[in-house]
Each structure stands twice: as C-alpha cells, then as structure tokens.
Amino acid sequence: TWTLANYKYVIIDFPTTRQAIINSLILGIGTGTLGVACATLNAIAVHRSKSSGRKLLEQVTMLPQAFPRLIFAFGFLWMILTLPIQLYGTLFAVLLAYIVVFLPLAYRGMSGVVVQIDSALEEAARVGGASWSRGLRPVTGPLLRSGILATRALLFMVSVREISASLFLSDAHTPVLGPAIFSFWDSGGLPRVSALAMVQALIILIALYAVRRWAGREIKV
C-alpha cells in the first residue's frame, strides 16, 4: 500500500525523529563552517609558512584518520567525561567530535586548493605594502571560495550520515539522524526506518544539488 503516512510520522508526529533531523542539520552546518575554517587555516599554515613545525601540524591534523572511528569516539567520550565541565549529552560535544573526525578530510580538500594558488600573488600584495593577513583576504580568499564551498558541503553531507561518534556522544535529549535510524529499527518498524533513511538521503541530495547549481553559475561567470 502506497502511503506518505510514514514520512509524516517521522518528520512531524514523532518528536524524537523530528528533533534528530533538526539537530543533524545544525551539526552539519556547524561542522561544515568550523571544520572548513580550521582546515583552510591549517592548509595555509602548512603550505605558505616557512616554520619548521608546519610538517608536525600536518601530521597532527591527519592523526584522527589513523584510528578507527568507533575507537576514536570511545576515546573522545572518555575525555569528555573527565572534563570538569558537563559536555556529555550536548550538541557541542558531538560538534567537537565531528570537527576532529572530519578535519583530515577537510584538510586534504583545502590543501589541494591552496597548493594550486601561486604564492607569488600574495608576495606581490606584500610588495605593494599589504600585510600577510590583509593580502590573504582580497587575493587568496576569492580564489579559495569554490574549494571552501565544496569542502563545506562535503563536511555537511558526511556529518548528516555519521553514526559512530554520535552513538557514544549523543543521548535521548540530543538525538541525531544516524543513531535515530539505528535505534528506530527495533521500535519503529521497517517502513518508518526506511522513511527516516529517505529523509536523510534527501537532505544530502539537496545539499549536493545546491552545490552543483552554485558551481555551474560560477563556471558561467
């Protein structure tokens, strides 16, 4: 029997899944914004700086990639529980975990963009009297815009479907889509689980479509 009742239930009627959708959107936007900002600064520091510690910075940035995500989430949970402030069960704790987990992915994306931009452009700005930070904004910033948008969208999409870190760091008061689908399997039945999974896929598809449309307009310009 064809019906939209299951979609209505998971989006409107059932408060847990409705809140999980909202929280996942918030986390996706936050991870995309903060993650790409950290990755861009790291990429610029590694590829533009002459400091001897730039290679160490790159290795530290890529370190989360060396651990299985489930093990990393457990270790992150242990760290959260030992802190003097209460972070467990908050969206901020999940956001921190997402940023750290996906920072290597964002760094690799932004690193490839930064490498393609000739440093002579920034050097010319400094010769003209601009400081390093002032030359970075009008010269390198616009050239990084497409890469920043693509990487931000990528972080948004992988954050919306993340499960491992969310299982350890979210609770009943801060549900997110991944664990909600995982736990909904026992209580909601296959049709409602499938509806929630389709909502998750639709969010990712909308983000992908928006990025492709924006990229198409940039190429035409």
Side-chain angles (χ1 to χ4, degrees):
T1 303
W2 294 91
T3 177
L4 296 176
N6 294 310
Y7 290 96
K8 178 177 179 295
Y9 180 81
V10 299
I11 297 175
I12 300 175
D13 295 340
F14 193 55
T16 300
T17 53
R18 184 177 67 244
Q19 189 61 46
I21 294 171
I22 296 173
N23 289 343
S24 292
L25 291 175
I26 294 173
L27 288 170
I29 294 171
T31 303
T33 303
L34 299 178
V36 78
C38 294
T40 303
L41 293 176
N42 285 2
I44 292 174
V46 169
H47 297 288
R48 291 291 192 263
S49 173
K50 303 299 181 182
S51 173
S52 58
R54 65 185 187 277
K55 293 300 180 182
L56 178 61
L57 176 62
E58 183 176 27
Q59 293 173 4
V60 171
T61 303
M62 296 300 298
L63 187 61
Q65 197 69 19
F67 299 97
R69 197 165 294 171
L70 198 63
I71 302 301
F72 177 85
F74 180 75
F76 197 87
L77 171 64
W78 195 357
M79 183 197 74
I80 289 292
L81 293 176
T82 59
L83 292 177
I85 56 177
Q86 177 64 31
L87 288 180
Y88 176 73
T90 63
L91 283 181
F92 184 69
V94 183
L95 177 62
L96 284 179
Y98 280 8
I99 292 174
V100 176
V101 166
F102 297 125
L103 187 58
L105 181 64
Y107 171 77
R108 281 306 175 198
M110 293 309 304
S111 181
V113 177
V114 171
V115 168
Q116 296 179 46
I117 300 174
D118 197 337
S119 60
L121 298 173
E122 300 162 19
E123 293 171 0
R126 288 199 293 272
V127 169
S131 62
W132 181 82
S133 59
R134 177 161 184 168
L136 195 64
R137 288 196 302 271
V139 177
T140 309
L143 298 175
L144 291 174
R145 186 170 58 182
S146 297
I148 288 175
L149 178 66
T151 305
R152 186 180 181 184
L154 177 62
L155 292 186
F156 174 85
M157 290 185 283
V158 296
S159 299
V160 168
R161 65 176 183 82
E162 167 61 28
I163 296 179
S164 301
S166 308
L167 282 174
F168 282 98
L169 297 170
S170 62
D171 61 6
H173 302 290
T174 55
V176 291
L177 268 175
I181 294 174
F182 189 78
S183 62
F184 209 44
W185 181 270
D186 294 329
S187 59
L190 182 59
R192 290 173 177 175
V193 170
S194 301
L196 189 57
M198 286 299 298
V199 170
Q200 183 186 52
L202 183 61
I203 292 172
I204 295 174
L205 286 175
I206 291 174
L208 182 60
Y209 176 76
V211 171
R212 290 178 65 88
R213 284 294 301 270
W214 186 89
R217 287 200 301 268
E218 285 288 303
I219 292 174
K220 290 179 182 179
V221 173

